[in-house]
Amino acid sequence: MAAALFVGFLCFVQQAQAQSDQLKKLMLANNCMACHMIDKRKYGPQFDEISSKYMADKKAIETLVTKIKAGGKGVWGEDPMPPQPQVSDADAKTIAELIMVLKPKE
Ligand code: HEC
């Protein structure tokens, strides 16, 4: 029983690690790193705070996919995010999903 719990915990940690690695790869490939980091504020909001902000929002994924592709401003401050037309629909959706499974910031 204890061993099973421990193995379960390890899988959970490994999965979280794999997810954040995949998110970083997509951020690099789509040039998000110029303005964003996962756990530190850069020009744009940090991704774990975005996760906390939309935690209770059932439409979070759609909202974020739209924003990633179209850009916008006024949610986090006056700095605008330019549109990112280079991001494929599939990548935008995966990025939004990976943001929303980030451990929210305490
Ligand atoms: C030129 C800088 C810049 C680049 C490049 C950029 N962003 Fe942003 N991003 C911002 C800024 C600034 C904001 C805050 C906008 C606001 O307050 O509404 C933001 C906001 C966001 C948000 C939160 C949206 C919301 O409405 O809460 C997400 C998600 C996001 N960016 C994802 C991405 C992804 C994914 C990429 C790469 C494809 C990317 N950004 C590239 C500057 C950038």
Side-chain angles (χ1 to χ4, degrees):
M1 179 62 188
L5 275 180
F6 183 65
V7 171
F9 176 72
L10 278 185
C11 290
F12 177 75
V13 169
Q14 271 175 357
Q15 192 195 5
Q17 183 62 43
Q19 283 168 337
S20 88
D21 285 351
Q22 193 194 356
L23 179 56
K24 276 184 208 147
K25 236 183 253 163
L26 285 169
M27 287 169 76
L28 261 178
N30 289 292
N31 194 38
C32 317
M33 290 289 198
C35 298
H36 292 283
M37 292 202 287
I38 291 181
D39 56 2
K40 285 202 188 70
R41 174 90 203 184
K42 215 171 166 186
Y43 177 71
Q46 60 197 68
F47 280 8
D48 56 4
E49 284 185 351
I50 297 174
S51 181
S52 315
K53 185 178 178 75
Y54 292 96
M55 205 161 34
D57 185 344
K58 291 205 177 68
K59 294 212 172 116
I61 307 271
E62 288 165 50
T63 307
L64 296 184
V65 166
T66 308
K67 177 82 164 229
I68 289 168
K69 296 194 59 107
K73 66 166 185 165
V75 178
W76 297 87
E78 280 310 296
D79 291 331
M81 170 159 160
Q84 307 292 314
Q86 80 281 5
V87 185
S88 68
D89 288 349
D91 276 6
K93 183 151 190 289
T94 309
I95 293 172
E97 286 167 356
L98 288 170
I99 290 175
M100 291 312 299
V101 297
L102 286 173
K103 196 171 161 305
K105 220 162 147 58
E106 273 104 40

